[in-house]
Amino acid sequence: MNTETSQPTPGGDGCLVGALRIPVKIVALLVVLPVRVVWDLLAALGRLLYRHVLAPLLTHIVEPVLRALGWLVTTLVKLVFVWPWTGLWRYVLRPVGSWLYVRLLAPLVRLLYVYVLRPPALVTWRYVLVPVGRALIWLAEAAHRYLLLPLYRYVLGRALSWAWHVAGLITRALWRAVKWSGRVLIGWPAAQVYRYVLTPAGHLVRAVWRPVRDTVREVRAEVRRALFGTPPVEPTRSRARTLGSTTAAGNTPAPEISLHERQG
């Protein structure tokens, strides 16, 4: 048996689909199509009625009627609730109020101010407030002159005196600190340098300079003797201690001894 002839072709429908398609088409043809036709007819009729009947009716009849009704209701409301009160205020209350104020209230207030309020106010101002104000001003001036100003001067003077005293103490303390710093940083090191450096150096220079000076003198005397043949005159200041001697020279000059004789 050939199985290829029993299977449906890929492009075709089965028997079940073919069996269901025919009733569906019959229902669509008998039910759906009349309903759709009726619906389309009703829609076209509705659009036709709205365009040619309802729209002109609303535009030319209903809207003017509604506007007329709105104007009528507004006019009635104004006539009942607005215009009476406006007319009452404009033509009755305001003229009557103005007349009452001009003819009655203003004179009454003026008579009340002139004859009732003004005299006590003037009396109170003249005999109470003015004296009390002057007394307060006098008390303030007296307190300022005899209390606050002396107290201020006393406090200010004491404060200035105390500040001057404190400034003097601070200045003296600073001067002592400067003197102590100068003594410690400059005076004591200078004294130590003078005592232990300059004084020994001076003694050393003096001890070295004296033999050199005596030697120079002797050399000068020998040169004069060799050149002039006369013994040189010893200057008066040579009466100091001679080189190597422990006694001072007398008035008589010591004999000159040449370097060659000393060496011999």
Side-chain angles (χ1 to χ4, degrees), residues 3-103:
T3 59
E4 295 180 356
T5 58
S6 62
Q7 294 180 356
T9 59
D13 297 328
C15 297
L16 182 60
V17 176
L20 292 176
R21 182 179 296 173
I22 295 173
V24 169
K25 289 182 177 181
I26 293 173
V27 171
L29 183 62
L30 296 178
V31 177
V32 176
L33 183 61
V35 171
R36 180 58 185 271
V37 171
V38 172
W39 174 258
D40 292 337
L41 289 175
L42 290 176
L45 182 61
R47 287 193 297 271
L48 184 63
L49 289 176
Y50 177 78
R51 181 177 300 172
H52 297 283
V53 178
L54 294 178
L57 182 65
L58 292 174
T59 303
H60 299 286
I61 296 176
V62 175
E63 290 181 0
V65 170
L66 292 178
R67 284 197 295 270
L69 289 176
W71 177 83
L72 181 60
V73 171
T74 304
T75 304
L76 290 176
V77 170
K78 289 180 180 181
L79 184 62
V80 175
F81 297 101
V82 177
W83 288 345
W85 298 104
T86 303
L88 181 65
W89 167 255
R90 179 177 298 176
Y91 299 106
V92 177
L93 295 179
R94 190 169 68 179
V96 171
S98 299
W99 183 85
L100 289 176
Y101 176 76
V102 172
R103 299 296 180 180

Side-chain angles (χ1 to χ4, degrees), residues 114-128:
V114 172
Y115 296 102
V116 178
L117 298 179
R118 185 178 178 182
L122 291 176
V123 171
T124 304
W125 170 259
R126 180 175 298 176
Y127 297 103
V128 177

Side-chain angles (χ1 to χ4, degrees), residues 8-9 39 49 91 106 115 152 161 164 184 189 197 220 236 252 256:
T9 59
W39 174 258
L49 289 176
Y91 299 106
Y115 296 102
Y152 173 74
S161 177
W164 184 262
V184 171
V197 177
R220 186 174 58 185
T236 58
T252 304
E256 295 290 340

Side-chain angles (χ1 to χ4, degrees), residues 34-236:
V35 171
R36 180 58 185 271
V37 171
V38 172
W39 174 258
D40 292 337
L41 289 175
L42 290 176
L45 182 61
R47 287 193 297 271
L48 184 63
L49 289 176
Y50 177 78
R51 181 177 300 172
H52 297 283
V53 178
L54 294 178
L57 182 65
L58 292 174
T59 303
H60 299 286
I61 296 176
V62 175
E63 290 181 0
V65 170
L66 292 178
R67 284 197 295 270
L69 289 176
W71 177 83
L72 181 60
V73 171
T74 304
T75 304
L76 290 176
V77 170
K78 289 180 180 181
L79 184 62
V80 175
F81 297 101
V82 177
W83 288 345
W85 298 104
T86 303
L88 181 65
W89 167 255
R90 179 177 298 176
Y91 299 106
V92 177
L93 295 179
R94 190 169 68 179
V96 171
S98 299
W99 183 85
L100 289 176
Y101 176 76
V102 172
R103 299 296 180 180
L104 183 62
L105 292 179
L108 182 62
V109 171
R110 190 179 301 112
L111 176 62
L112 181 65
Y113 172 74
V114 172
Y115 296 102
V116 178
L117 298 179
R118 185 178 178 182
L122 291 176
V123 171
T124 304
W125 170 259
R126 180 175 298 176
Y127 297 103
V128 177
L129 297 179
V130 172
V132 169
R134 291 177 179 175
L136 292 177
I137 293 173
W138 181 83
L139 288 176
E141 291 180 352
H144 177 266
R145 178 177 298 177
Y146 300 105
L147 181 62
L148 296 178
L149 190 59
L151 182 62
Y152 173 74
R153 290 176 178 175
Y154 175 76
V155 172
L156 182 61
R158 293 295 299 271
L160 290 176
S161 177
W162 179 79
W164 184 262
H165 180 67
V166 171
L169 293 177
I170 294 173
T171 303
R172 286 193 293 271
L174 290 175
W175 178 246
R176 292 193 189 98
V178 170
K179 288 174 64 177
W180 181 82
S181 300
R183 188 182 301 114
V184 171
L185 299 177
I186 299 175
W188 185 81
Q192 298 301 317
V193 169
Y194 178 78
R195 179 178 297 178
Y196 297 105
V197 177
L198 297 180
T199 301
H203 292 171
L204 179 62
V205 169
R206 186 173 59 184
V208 172
W209 171 249
R210 285 179 179 178
V212 173
R213 185 186 60 185
D214 295 337
T215 304
V216 171
R217 287 176 180 176
E218 290 177 3
V219 171
R220 186 174 58 185
E222 291 294 334
V223 171
R224 286 181 179 180
R225 182 182 297 176
L227 293 176
F228 302 102
T230 58
V233 179
E234 185 70 19
T236 58

